[in-house]
Structures are given as C-alpha cells and as structure tokens.
C-alpha cells in the first residue's frame, strides 16, 4: 500500500498512551489509514519529518463564539477559524443563538450556517443557544435540531435577556435526555449578581475592576449546585461551561463520585490570569475592560491552583477557549462601557479572545515542556482535554479527536525540545482583534504544522496559514456520549419509580 502522506519520526500521543518511538502515520484521502513501523511509500508519497517532536490530535475547541449579533466587533468565521488553525485547532463548535423574541429555532440555525458556508479554515459544528423554550420548540424543533446534526444546546442561568428559569431548564433537560442531546449550562446566580450590581452602581463603583466584585465565586457555586440538582432530577447529562471556582468544581467532583453524568469545562484565562488584570494600567484604568469576562477572573493564586487540581485529577472534561471577543479600541466594542466618558462595567461586552492560544498554553504545562516534577498534567491528559473528550461528548467519535486508523488526519506537529518556545504577542495573532489577554506570556511550544484531513493548513516553517478559506466542512454530529458517570441514577432520597408518577 502506498500512502498520500507519511508522517515520520514523531512521538505520537493519544488519550491513553505515547506510542512506541518509530511509529509512523499513514494518510490516504485525508484519513489515517495506518499506524506502524517503516510504512511503504510510493513515488508520489509525501514524507513529513517531525524531527523527534510530539504529534497530537488536532484540537477541538467546543466553545467558540463567531459572527454573533450581540458582538458586532467580534471575530467572524473567516478570522476566527484562521486563528484556530494557527493555534493547532482543527475543529470548532460555535453557537447559533436564539433571541428572546424568536419563536422558532429553524431560521436561527439555518441563517447562522449560511454565515459559515465557504468561510472556514477548519471543520466546524454548531450548538444552539436556547432562550425561549416554548412548547412548540421543545415538542418538535429539538428533534429537528438533532436531525440537522446540532446535537447540543446551551442555556444561561443569568443575563436578563437570555436566562432560562429553573422550570425551563428542567423541561429542556428532560427533552435532551429523551433525544440524546448534550445540555451546556452557564451557571451563575442571576439574582445575586443583579443585587450586587445595583449596590455597586449606587455607590459609584463602576470602573471595570468592579466587574470582578459583581460576580463573586459564591454566585457560581450556588448556581452550579442548582444546575447539578436539576440535572439529577432529570437524569440528564450536562456540561457546566467555563468554570472558575474551586467550590463549584468540587460540586461537580462530588456528583461524579456518585456516577452522575456531570461534565465540567474550564478555560485558559481562569488558570493563567487574576483579577488584577481588570484594574488596568496605572493611568488608564479602563484598559482593564480587555479582561472583562463572565464568570470573572478570580482574585488569588489559590483560586488558580484549585482549578489546576481539577485539570490534573480528571474532574474537567474539556478545555475550551470561550473565544467571545470584542475589540477594545472601538466605540461598538469594549468602549461601550464608557458612557459619557464615565466607566460603567455593566455595559462592557463580556468575553476574551483565546482560540489561537488555547492549545499552546496547556501544552506548555505538560512534561513535553517542563520537568516531570513541575508539569501540571500528562500529555495524554492534554489530548483528553483538548480533543478526545470533546469528540465523545459532542457526537464526533470515530471521526475526530484521536490518532487511529479510520479517523480524520487532523494532527498537530509540535517543535522538538525548546525550539518552539515563544512569547505570545498581539502582533503575531491571526484573529481580527486588537489585543490578546495573554500578551507577554511565554509558552514552551507552538504548533509547527496543523493538518486538517491530511492537508497542512498552518505551517510555521512557511510563515503562517497556508490552508485555503472554505476548506472547513460542516460536521453533522451524532448522539453525544457520557464521558463521566452514567444515566439511570435515582436522585438521593427518592424511590426508584417516583418519576413514573409525574412523567
């Protein structure tokens, strides 16, 4: 057998192992067709020499906001996916967002997919944000979503114009359980937050830094526990997105200990940045608006260390960017928070850029870049968090997230040793933003090549993105798997048949 491409002389990392040295990857028609030693090659076979570097699956960033109506200065599909490819991500899952007045999800999804058509540098899927779960939508349109390959929905427990009350959350959870869909939940206590914001504004505390005080950890802790309780009643798998509080993460770990199908996601900014960033520069406090996101950056190194424990011990299922940026120096971006020259943190668009830096930030904390005694996670754990778990959770198993025969040849080839070390700089980013929150952060490596279905779309050797716009394909996703725990549990204190009396 002759292959289109053979990737040789690399250390191949999977979700469970580092394959024996000398193992090669054979690629045919964009698919991995063989792993083995001394694979045969023909005159047309392209040989790529990894030079002893690690090879990992292409990243799956399952939480990316692109071309969003509520973020007119944010990244669109072209710039956002170009940035993804440059950072080693080969699949993104973005959000078609229902507005409160929308009476159907069908045009929401169809119009959003039109925006992506022919624009993407990487493969992509779509979640649906649900803000108005009417009986019609639940009874017929959730099944339609599933048929379209949109097999996950996201709910907000906060934000006045988007939040779904607990009753609506329950109804959605039961419907998703019935269809085999994954429910993502933004868990913060709306009433706590709105109460605190009113008090801060009444006292004139409106600079960007007060955003971090307006959304304390306890608001996330309470809402996460409530989300888990609602999911337990419904016997439905959930993913709590962008977790930033160790107490909330401990709620998840306790639930997982009882084999509940509760998954957790965190993001780079919660493990590398503190709320000090939101104070801005000495003579320009509003520059802290660059770091306004929700949940906010936390205050202490202890907060970060608690989350790193969750990364290492398996509590977190996915590591996502929550790439939801707005330009800083733009009247329609972060500077919406300057009202008649007065800072108003509650008016600053929430969200940070991060799809390009996500992979390198985490890879730099593995034993590939640090002594084993200092590494915060193993290389196999890196693969689980950045690729394989998301593939399972979001219905892409068998095609994405692994290096094995039959899977798409989505691969990241890193640099050997310290050759790939670099400092993150805005001038080197490929997004359409005017800043990166990780400016000046040193990472231990950067992708040398990013391969999408066997084609190199990012080549650091050649100076940048070499893939063509439009190469990315829409991924019609299937039923998601339960990665943590299992369904079929009986809520604590209930009899086994209690649901039958009211469902």
């Amino acid at each position: 057998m002759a292959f289109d491409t053979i990737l040789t002389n690399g250390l191949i990392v999977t979700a469970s192992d580092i394959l024996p040295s000398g193992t090669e990857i054979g690629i045919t028609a964009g698919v991995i067709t063989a792993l083995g030693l001394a694979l045969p090659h023909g005159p047309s076979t392209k040989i790529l020499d990894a030079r002893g570097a690690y090879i990992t699956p292409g990243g799956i960033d399952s939480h990316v906001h692109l071309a969003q109506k509520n973020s007119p200065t944010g990244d669109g599909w072209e710039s956002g996916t170009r940035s993804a490819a440059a950072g080693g991500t080969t699949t993104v899952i973005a959000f078609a967002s229902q507005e409160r007045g929308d009476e159907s999800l069908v045009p929401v999804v169809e119009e959003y997919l039109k925006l992506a058509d022919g624009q993407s540098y990487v493969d992509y899927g779509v979640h649906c944000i649900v803000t108005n779960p009417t009986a019609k939508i639940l009874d017929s349109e959730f099944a339609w979503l599933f048929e379209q390959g949109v097999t996950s929905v996201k709910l907000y427990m906060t934000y006045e114009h988007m939040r779904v009350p607990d009753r609506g959350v329950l109804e959605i959870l039961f419907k998703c359980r019935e269809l085999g869909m994954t429910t993502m939940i933004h868990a913060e206590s709306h009433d706590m937050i709105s109460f605190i914001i009113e008090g801060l504004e009444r006292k004139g505390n409106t600079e960007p830094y007060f955003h971090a005080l307006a959304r304390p950890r306890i608001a996330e802790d309470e809402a996460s526990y409530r989300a888990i309780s609602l999911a337990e009643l419904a016997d439905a798998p959930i993913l709590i997105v962008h977790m930033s509080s160790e107490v909330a993460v401990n709620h998840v770990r306790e639930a997982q200990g009882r084999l509940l199908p509760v998954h957790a996601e965190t993001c780079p900014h919660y493990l590398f940045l503190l709320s000090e960033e939101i104070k801005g520069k000495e003579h320009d406090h509003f520059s802290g608006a660059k770091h306004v996101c929700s949940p906010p950056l936390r205050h202490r190194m202890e907060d970060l260390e608690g989350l790193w424990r969750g990364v290492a011990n398996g509590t977190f299922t996915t590591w996502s960017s929550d790439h939801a940026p707005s330009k800083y120096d733009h009247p329609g971006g972060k500077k919406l928070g300057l009202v008649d020259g007065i800072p108003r943190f509650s008016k600053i668009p929430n969200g940070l850029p991060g799809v390009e830096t996500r992979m390198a930030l985490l890879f730099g904390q593995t034993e590939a870049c640090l002594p084993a005694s200092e590494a915060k996670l193993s290389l196999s754990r890196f693969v689980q968090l950045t690729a394989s778990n998301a593939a399972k959770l979001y219905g892409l198993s068998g095609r994405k997230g692994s290096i094995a025969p039959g899977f798409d040849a989505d691969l990241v080839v890193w640099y050997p040793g310290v050759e790939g070390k670099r400092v993150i700089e805005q001038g080197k980013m490929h997004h359409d933003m005017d800043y990166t929150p990780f400016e000046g952060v040193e990472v231990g490596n950067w992708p040398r090549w990013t391969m999408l279905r066997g084609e190199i779309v990012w080549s650091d050797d050649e100076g940048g993105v070499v893939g063509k716009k439009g190469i990315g394909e829409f991924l019609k996703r299937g039923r998601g798997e339960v990665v943590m725990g299992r369904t079929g549990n009986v809520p604590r204190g209930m009899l086994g048949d209690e649901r039958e009396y009211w469902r």
Side-chain angles (χ1 to χ4, degrees):
M1 177 188 294
F3 302 94
D4 297 336
T5 304
I6 294 176
L7 196 48
T8 188
N9 195 23
L11 295 169
I12 301 166
V13 186
T14 72
S16 58
D17 296 294
I18 299 176
L19 301 187
S21 178
T23 304
E24 298 178 330
I25 303 173
I27 301 168
T28 308
V31 175
I32 298 170
T33 47
L35 296 175
L37 303 176
L39 295 178
H41 60 273
S44 62
T45 302
K46 183 177 182 179
I47 306 296
L48 294 175
D49 184 357
R51 294 195 289 120
Y54 288 104
I55 303 171
T56 61
I60 299 175
D61 195 341
S62 53
H63 192 150
V64 175
H65 296 270
L66 301 173
Q68 305 282 255
K69 289 181 181 178
N70 64 354
S71 182
T73 70
D75 272 315
W77 278 96
E78 179 181 355
S79 59
T81 58
R82 180 179 65 225
S83 186
T89 289
T90 53
T91 297
V92 298
I93 312 181
F95 294 90
S97 184
Q98 180 194 27
E99 296 183 15
R100 184 74 81 189
D102 293 335
E103 297 182 358
S104 173
L105 301 178
V106 175
V108 171
V109 172
E110 289 181 341
E111 290 170 15
Y112 188 65
L113 286 174
K114 287 178 184 176
L115 297 176
D117 189 32
Q119 298 297 305
S120 185
Y121 286 87
V122 300
D123 288 350
Y124 60 95
V126 173
H127 310 290
C128 189
I129 293 173
V130 179
T131 60
N132 183 25
T134 64
K136 174 197 166 195
I137 286 172
L138 289 167
D139 291 342
S140 62
E141 294 194 358
F142 268 46
W144 177 86
L145 285 177
F146 192 92
E147 291 169 2
Q148 305 308 305
V150 180
T151 58
S152 47
V153 298
K154 181 183 177 184
L155 315 178
Y156 289 86
M157 299 175 79
T158 187
Y159 300 128
E160 188 59 53
H161 61 294
M162 301 185 81
R163 71 186 181 108
V164 177
D166 288 0
R167 170 64 183 261
V169 173
L170 273 175
E171 290 172 343
I172 290 170
L173 286 168
F174 274 106
K175 179 56 67 173
C176 285
R177 171 73 169 90
E178 175 188 326
L179 294 170
M181 299 174 71
T182 299
T183 306
M184 308 162 72
I185 298 181
H186 176 141
E188 289 184 288
S189 171
H190 177 77
D191 288 332
M192 283 188 189
I193 292 166
S194 59
F195 180 83
I196 295 170
I197 288 175
E198 288 175 13
L200 287 167
E201 292 181 338
R202 186 170 59 251
K203 293 194 168 208
N205 296 318
T206 60
E207 290 193 348
Y209 178 69
F210 290 103
H211 172 80
L213 277 59
R215 310 179 87 96
R217 275 185 19 171
I218 194 172
E220 182 181 345
D221 301 340
E222 183 276 331
S224 297
Y225 186 85
R226 183 157 37 101
I228 292 168
S229 298
L230 294 170
E232 183 174 6
L233 181 65
D235 188 29
I238 62 167
L239 173 93
I240 302 178
V241 297
H242 48 52
M243 300 192 76
S244 68
S245 166
E246 185 181 12
V247 172
V249 173
N250 286 340
H251 292 331
V252 171
R253 190 158 181 80
E254 187 275 337
Q256 292 172 348
R258 295 190 288 115
L259 297 183
L260 297 181
V262 177
H263 307 91
E265 168 198 273
T266 195
C267 310
H269 39 282
Y270 298 122
L271 287 97
F272 286 90
L273 304 174
L274 291 169
S275 64
E276 282 288 314
E277 302 285 350
I278 316 175
K279 290 182 178 178
K281 299 176 182 176
E282 185 177 354
H283 301 295
D284 181 12
H285 292 177
F286 190 76
S287 65
K290 295 177 180 178
H291 291 85
V292 166
C293 58
S294 292
L297 304 182
R298 299 306 181 188
H299 303 310
R300 303 175 183 87
M301 284 299 299
E302 291 83 1
D303 295 315
L304 275 59
E305 291 164 1
L307 296 180
W308 277 117
R309 284 192 288 273
V311 166
N313 67 22
T315 304
F316 284 114
T317 313
T318 60
W319 168 270
S320 303
S321 68
D322 190 12
H323 181 82
S326 294
K327 288 185 175 68
Y328 170 68
D329 194 16
H330 193 292
K334 294 287 187 178
K335 289 193 173 178
L336 282 170
L338 279 175
V339 182
D340 296 327
I342 298 172
R344 301 283 184 184
F345 73 82
S346 62
K347 305 297 183 184
I348 298 171
N350 281 218
L352 310 175
V355 68
E356 186 167 347
T357 49
R358 175 187 75 112
M359 294 280 282
L361 284 166
L362 191 61
F363 191 80
Q365 300 300 311
T366 69
E367 66 265 32
C369 302
L370 295 172
S373 60
E374 298 177 21
K376 290 185 168 69
L377 71 163
S378 69
L379 281 159
S380 288
R381 183 80 178 114
F382 168 84
V383 170
Q384 293 167 19
L385 287 162
T386 59
S388 63
N389 282 353
K392 294 174 184 176
L393 187 65
Y394 293 113
L396 293 171
S397 281
R399 180 173 180 184
K400 301 290 187 182
S402 294
I403 300 177
F407 282 76
D408 284 356
D410 295 353
L411 303 165
V412 181
V413 181
W414 302 84
Y415 276 98
V418 298
E419 205 175 314
K421 185 180 291 187
R422 67 191 57 194
V423 175
I424 295 172
E425 301 174 48
Q426 162 61 18
K428 296 179 180 178
M429 295 292 101
H430 294 78
H431 54 209
D432 188 29
M433 293 297 103
D434 53 4
Y435 77 99
T436 169
F438 302 104
E439 186 75 38
V441 175
E442 184 177 82
V443 290
N445 210 320
W446 194 268
R448 179 185 173 201
W449 294 319
T450 303
M451 299 182 71
L452 174 66
R453 286 179 275 110
E455 297 291 329
I456 296 176
V457 293
W458 161 262
S459 174
D460 208 34
D461 293 352
E462 298 177 49
V465 176
V466 295
K468 295 181 180 178
K469 182 179 73 171
I471 189 176
E473 297 177 353
F474 171 65
L475 299 169
K476 187 174 181 179
R477 296 180 290 118
R479 179 188 293 262
E481 297 179 32
V482 172
V483 180
M484 306 294 296
R486 66 188 183 196
T487 55
N489 298 290
V490 177
R492 288 176 293 186
M494 286 176 58
L495 300 174
D497 61 351
E498 280 193 43
R499 290 192 190 95
E500 298 174 13
Y501 290 95
W502 47 268
R503 282 295 294 171

